[in-house]
Amino acid sequence: RDSNAEQGVDLFRTDGTVVEAVEVLPGNPTTVLFQSTSATDLGFFVSVSGGPSYATSRLVGFPFATGAPSLEVDWPSTSQADAPRSLTRVGDAVFFIGTTPDAGTQLWRTDGRSVVPVTPLSGTLIGELGGKLYFSNPGGIYRLECDNSTTRVPGTYAVLSGPVMARDALYFAAQSTSGRVLFKYDGNAVTQAPLGDAGTAFSADGLMAWDDRVVYRLVESVVTNFGSGVAQMQLMVSDGTVTGTRAVTDQPVELPNILGDLSGQVYAVPGGALYAAVITRDAGSELWEFSRDGGAKPVGEIQPGSHGADPKNFTVVGDTLVFSADDGTGAEPWAVSIEHVPPAPGGAAACAYDWPDAGPWDAGAHEVDAGMPTGGGVGATVGGSGATGGGVGALGGGDGTTGGGDG
């Protein structure tokens, strides 16, 4: 980002060798939320201007090939929390959550050229399974059908942790007579994944997808000879079967934050290994690698001694794992080469949606009434509380500034 009083905030893109400008965002936004996803060759981002209590936001869709906006919607926000969020791809459609003054919080969908309201929503988006969108809402986990009706997944009324989508199945932790246990839904039926010993009180949480399996934290309560309970933590992996549920390694695994969120300290590389910040007595918190066959090894000692480098906040760029670590001089970005085979994109969507005409655009002709009935009507821009969203340019057009270069 490059910010000054005249140009505002610029959006750039890079292939790792060449950097080019894509779009100059309007005004001088104080916060830009880049929630980029892909529908065919389209990307999306959300820009937010203003403070926490009052903000204006804009949803922008652009083809990766040109970078020129194909969709620009001024969202009628009253705060940063109202802006479009949780962009999730299902086939050639992108679903997101957005809040308007008149209609409240709803689920919306876009093809990068128009925006359509779907249904009221107070939960979160989970992901795609079998070409359909799954989301949480009061009462459980739901599947969005092609006609915008919803179907509740059986057994999900008491979900306590998760859910996460692991390629071909949905996993979540729910309450049972033996405590919090792991459940699996393959699109047809819900089954309980085996956990712990029958006589041991246990719980499973901190769910994270690892390709077609799920990684989670298993906490077992063991009663000693003196009658007191001792909590033991294991990092587990499961495909929902007896033979496919095990500890990630036979060695004890101690994480920096045993009860905290796994996402910052454990990372599953798509098509590759599992990486985690593991504490040992001699080295402190350092980076370890866990293979799919149960192997475990330290990647390297970044900070010599027992203090540890505290690696966290992992992401993958190409064949490189990038993360934050401290070698004794402060936290900095670090990188390590990895081997992985990224999984193929998901299958085709199960629903063929109707979309409004893409343009050229007329804000008055395409305005959506934010208070319209659930799932009804079509629209390319969003209105509400006196604010009407504008959109410019058909696919490949637009008036945004596009940088040069051949990156």
Side-chain angles (χ1 to χ4, degrees):
R1 294 182 294 168
D2 180 22
S3 177
N4 59 58
E6 295 180 357
Q7 293 185 345
V9 176
D10 296 350
L11 172 65
F12 291 85
R13 66 178 179 180
T14 181
D15 64 353
T17 60
V18 177
V19 177
E20 61 178 357
V22 176
E23 167 81 346
V24 178
L25 305 184
N28 189 19
T30 57
T31 304
V32 180
L33 307 176
F34 293 106
Q35 299 173 321
S36 181
T37 184
S38 174
T40 60
D41 64 341
L42 293 172
F44 298 84
F45 67 89
V46 179
S47 66
V48 180
S49 305
S53 60
Y54 176 78
T56 59
S57 57
R58 170 169 287 192
L59 172 66
V60 180
F62 60 94
F64 290 128
T66 65
S70 63
L71 172 72
E72 293 187 80
V73 175
D74 289 324
W75 200 263
S77 303
T78 57
S79 70
Q80 292 184 8
D82 295 342
R85 53 203 180 272
S86 303
L87 278 68
T88 303
R89 178 190 178 186
V90 179
D92 292 339
V94 170
F95 292 85
F96 63 92
I97 302 172
T99 304
T100 61
D102 292 344
T105 302
Q106 292 195 98
L107 176 65
W108 302 76
R109 60 177 169 89
T110 177
D111 62 347
R113 302 165 182 83
S114 56
V115 177
V116 178
V118 178
T119 187
L121 181 69
S122 58
T124 60
L125 302 190
I126 301 170
E128 176 270 337
L129 179 62
K132 294 185 178 181
L133 177 72
Y134 284 75
F135 59 92
S136 66
N137 228 10
I141 298 173
Y142 296 83
R143 178 177 64 242
L144 181 67
E145 306 296 354
C146 297
D147 61 358
N148 285 349
S149 64
T150 59
T151 301
R152 186 172 67 86
V153 176
T156 61
Y157 55 86
V159 174
L160 299 176
S161 181
V164 297
M165 201 71 73
R167 191 175 297 177
D168 60 348
L170 175 69
Y171 291 85
F172 57 92
Q175 192 70 29
S176 75
T177 55
S178 58
R180 183 179 298 188
V181 297
L182 184 68
F183 288 83
K184 175 183 178 180
Y185 176 69
D186 62 2
N188 297 307
V190 174
T191 57
Q192 181 177 328
L195 295 173
D197 297 327
T200 303
F202 51 81
S203 65
D205 56 16
L207 278 66
M208 175 183 298
W210 186 11
D211 293 334
D212 57 347
R213 300 181 291 178
V214 66
V215 176
Y216 60 93
R217 174 179 39 233
L218 176 66
V219 180
E220 296 180 292
S221 179
V222 180
V223 179
T224 67
N225 293 333
F226 301 98
S228 59
V230 178
Q232 297 180 346
M233 193 278 291
Q234 293 186 37
L235 196 59
M236 305 289 292
V237 59
S238 176
D239 63 1
T241 67
V242 175
T243 57
T245 300
R246 59 171 176 80
V248 296
T249 177
D250 294 336
Q251 305 178 37
V253 176
E254 182 180 351
L255 302 177
N257 189 351
I258 294 179
L259 298 179
D261 187 5
L262 291 184
S263 61
Q265 52 191 337
V266 179
Y267 187 83
V269 175
L274 183 74
Y275 292 86
V278 175
I279 297 177
T280 60
R281 177 175 299 180
D282 295 333
S285 174
E286 293 286 354
L287 183 63
W288 280 62
E289 176 186 288
F290 302 94
S291 62
R292 292 177 65 91
D293 60 5
K297 63 179 181 180
V299 176
E301 190 174 22
I302 297 175
Q303 182 172 164
S306 59
H307 186 273
D310 191 24
K312 56 187 175 183
N313 301 328
F314 304 95
T315 191
V316 169
V317 181
D319 294 329
T320 303
L321 178 69
V322 182
F323 55 95
S324 168
D326 183 359
D327 63 356
T329 62
E332 294 178 308
W334 285 73
V336 60
S337 297
I338 60 174
E339 295 182 359
H340 71 127
V341 180
C351 306
Y353 296 110
D354 293 328
W355 300 99
D357 186 10
W361 294 27
D362 181 340
H366 291 286
E367 181 179 351
V368 173
D369 180 0
M372 67 192 308
T374 301
V378 296
T381 59
V382 177
S385 193
T388 300
V392 295
L395 179 60
D399 60 358
T401 299
T402 302
D406 57 358

